[in-house]
């Protein structure tokens, strides 16, 4: 058997290298979709282990709850800035070369973060890390938008995030007392290294491969804005509660160890939601799955009112994780349907991160003067508006199909 040789790519953009190191990998197959999922996750993986990151900073470095939360918030706001920048560069930069540079930069910033013990210095470093990671996620989203049935790839993206995020939430916190913050940032470095090793094997994507994007390009503007607004509200509503879910459970009378287990196991259940997206795709359109998914999220959010009952806390967290992993791929898919070059998918990444950052910020203001019950109700109201905003562009695409 002859050893694998580099395969030249015909009609490639001039900005790319002469060869890419892959052979017989279907650009729209499971392997390629999985590698793209890693690429789009690497810059934002800390969000999936955020409870472990915040609690680790408090325990290992003695940060106050406020400072630890601000470190996480700066990280995500930096990611939003990077995702916004990605909107303007995805068409003019070589995505493969850019991804290599950004992954190396992520590794460097994580290494530096290990030796920083001052909260304000760490906030600045994590903001820089977030900006780099957000740009990488935007690049990843723009490539995913060029695959056929982008909803499937976004489903695998959520599968990777929830699956590995659950591992991190369960197993990283117990290692913090022994290894300090090094274990936190080393886990992020390991993820970046794995993605860097996968990068040469990702097929070359040029034109957007989804034929549905060739129709009715004039409908882009307002339906797209509606989809972006739905994405922002959905992420803000869920992350606002998720950031405080440990304290919510503690206030309800549950033990911290049990809460951590429930959160980690729930993340694994979220895989079911992303697998359901991969299986369903658009066979029933987008408006019906989105509506059902967001309503299901709202119902289970209301169940958190009964968090004092362990079974209710289990049920709410598991079902919200499933719904979260189910709804997000469809809304991200909406954003990618209104553009041929992946710019709008990158803009979707920006809206997503603004929601992820703004939700906890708004929640912090609410819980200081009100009970968690008030926060739960506000989250449900946001979910209702998210459902309304998502239905219109989803229904338009269903009618075109």
């Amino acid at each position: 058997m002859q050893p694998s040789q580099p395969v030249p790519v015909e009609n490639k953009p001039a900005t790319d290298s002469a060869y890419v190191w892959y052979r017989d990998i279907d650009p729209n197959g499971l392997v390629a979709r999985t590698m793209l999922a890693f690429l789009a996750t690497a810059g934002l993986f800390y969000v999936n282990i955020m409870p472990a990151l915040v609690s680790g900073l408090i325990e290992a470095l003695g940060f106050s709850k406020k400072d630890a939360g601000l470190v996480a918030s700066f990280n995500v706001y930096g990611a939003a800035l990077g995702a916004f920048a990605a909107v303007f560069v995805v068409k003019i930069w070589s995505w493969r070369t850019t991804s290599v540079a950004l992954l190396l930069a992520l590794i460097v910033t994580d290494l530096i973060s290990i030796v920083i013990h001052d909260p304000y210095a760490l906030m600045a470093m994590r903001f820089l890390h977030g900006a780099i990671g957000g740009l990488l996620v935007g690049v990843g989203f723009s490539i995913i938008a060029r695959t056929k049935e982008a909803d499937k790839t976004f489903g695998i993206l959520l599968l990777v995030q929830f699956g590995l995020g659950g591992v991190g939430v369960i197993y990283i916190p117990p290692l913090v007392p022994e290894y300090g913050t090094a274990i936190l940032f080393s886990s992020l470095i390991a993820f970046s290294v794995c993605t860097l090793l996968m990068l040469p094997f990702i097929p070359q994507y040029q034109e957007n491969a989804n034929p549905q994007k060739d129709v009715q390009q004039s409908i882009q503007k307002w339906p797209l804005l509606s989809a972006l607004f739905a994405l922002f509200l959905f992420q803000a509503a869920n992350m606002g509660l998720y950031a405080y879910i440990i304290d919510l459970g503690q206030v309800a009378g549950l033990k911290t160890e049990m809460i951590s287990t429930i959160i980690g196991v729930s993340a694994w259940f979220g895989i079911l939601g992303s697998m359901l997206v991969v299986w369903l795709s658009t066979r029933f359109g987008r408006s019906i799955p989105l509506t059902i998914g967001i309503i299901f999220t709202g119902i289970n959010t209301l169940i958190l009112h009964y968090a004092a009952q362990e079974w209710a806390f289990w049920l709410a967290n598991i079902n919200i994780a499933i719904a979260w992993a189910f709804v997000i791929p469809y809304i991200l898919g909406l954003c990618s349907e209104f553009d041929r070059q992946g710019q709008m998918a990158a803009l979707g990444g920006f809206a997503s991160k603004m929601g992820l950052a703004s939700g906890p910020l708004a929640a912090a203001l609410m819980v200081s003067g009100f009970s968690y019950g008030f926060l739960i109700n506000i989250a449900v109201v946001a979910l209702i508006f998210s459902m309304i905003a998502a239905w219109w562009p989803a229904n338009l695409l269903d009618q075109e199909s």
Side-chain angles (χ1 to χ4, degrees):
M1 179 179 297
Q2 295 295 322
S4 177
Q5 297 294 326
V7 180
V9 179
E10 297 181 2
N11 301 319
K12 61 174 184 53
T15 53
D16 279 316
S17 58
Y19 298 96
V20 288
W21 294 84
Y22 67 90
R23 176 186 288 275
D24 299 328
I25 295 179
D26 182 0
N28 300 295
L30 179 61
V31 173
R33 293 183 195 273
T34 301
M35 291 190 291
L36 288 177
F38 270 79
L39 178 64
T41 298
L44 203 67
F45 185 59
Y46 54 87
V47 169
N48 300 98
I49 61 170
M50 187 169 288
L53 179 63
V54 173
S55 64
L57 292 175
I58 295 171
E59 184 172 358
L61 298 182
F63 283 13
S64 67
K65 291 182 180 180
K66 177 184 176 181
D67 286 342
L70 285 175
V71 170
S73 182
F74 270 70
N75 218 159
V76 183
Y77 272 117
L81 175 64
F84 185 73
V87 176
F88 303 99
V89 304
V90 292
K91 289 180 63 176
I92 59 177
W93 289 3
S94 164
W95 68 265
R96 199 183 303 272
T97 303
T98 301
S99 297
V100 171
L102 293 175
L103 283 166
L104 291 174
L106 282 178
I107 293 171
V108 171
T109 52
D110 279 323
L111 285 171
I112 296 174
S113 296
I114 293 176
V115 299
I116 296 178
H117 295 164
D118 177 73
Y120 297 104
L122 191 57
M123 288 176 200
M125 181 55 61
R126 298 317 293 174
F127 183 85
L128 175 61
H129 176 280
I132 297 168
L135 182 55
L136 178 63
V137 174
V139 172
F141 278 16
S142 73
I143 303 305
I144 290 176
R146 303 176 195 182
T147 63
K148 290 182 179 178
E149 298 178 298
D151 312 76
K152 286 187 176 182
T153 312
F154 284 123
I156 295 175
L157 168 67
L158 269 293
L159 188 153
V160 170
Q161 291 180 348
F162 276 81
L164 296 181
V167 174
V169 169
I170 290 178
Y171 292 107
I172 291 178
L175 298 175
V176 171
E178 182 176 356
Y179 298 102
T181 57
I183 190 65
L184 297 170
F185 299 118
S186 293
S187 64
L188 301 180
I189 292 171
F191 197 99
S192 296
V193 170
C194 288
T195 306
L196 195 59
L197 293 175
M198 293 179 185
L199 196 59
F201 300 96
I202 298 178
Q204 183 64 30
Y205 295 91
Q206 298 176 54
E207 293 295 330
N208 198 313
N210 194 331
Q212 293 182 2
K213 294 173 185 173
D214 293 330
V215 298
Q216 299 284 334
Q217 291 298 312
S218 60
I219 69 171
Q220 287 183 356
K221 184 178 180 181
W222 293 110
L224 172 64
L225 289 175
S226 186
L228 293 172
F229 185 58
L231 179 59
F232 171 84
L233 287 177
F234 189 81
Q235 292 286 57
N238 283 298
M239 185 54 74
L241 279 172
Y242 184 67
Y244 285 91
I245 196 66
I246 293 178
D247 194 55
L248 189 154
Q250 291 172 337
V251 170
L254 300 179
K255 295 182 178 180
T256 303
E257 294 78 8
M258 176 58 67
I259 296 171
S260 297
T261 300
I262 291 174
I263 295 173
V265 173
S266 297
W268 288 336
F269 272 92
I271 294 174
L272 297 178
S274 57
M275 291 177 65
L276 187 59
V277 174
V278 175
W279 178 68
L280 281 178
S281 188
T282 57
R283 67 178 66 184
F284 297 111
R286 292 181 174 86
S287 57
I288 292 177
L290 269 173
T291 301
I292 293 175
I294 298 176
I295 290 175
F296 186 71
T297 309
I299 292 173
N300 285 278
T301 299
L302 286 173
I303 293 177
L304 287 173
H305 278 298
Y306 307 96
Q309 306 296 322
E310 188 177 312
W311 66 267
F313 197 71
W314 269 105
L315 180 66
N317 277 278
I318 288 175
N319 286 341
I320 289 173
I322 293 173
W324 201 344
F326 178 79
V327 171
I328 287 299
Y330 277 112
I331 305 183
L332 289 173
L334 283 182
C335 298
S336 69
E337 288 296 325
F338 296 107
D339 171 63
R340 289 182 55 83
Q341 300 297 330
Q343 282 182 296
M344 296 305 103
L347 190 58
F350 169 72
S352 175
K353 288 163 190 61
M354 285 299 294
L356 291 174
S358 300
L361 180 62
L365 299 176
M366 292 178 192
V367 298
S368 62
F370 300 95
S371 66
Y372 278 115
F374 180 80
L375 176 59
I376 292 170
N377 292 336
I378 291 297
V380 172
V381 172
L383 288 170
I384 292 173
F385 280 105
S386 174
M387 179 187 69
I388 296 172
W391 184 86
W392 176 40
N395 188 57
L396 281 175
L397 289 175
D398 289 347
Q399 290 177 355
E400 290 172 9
S401 300

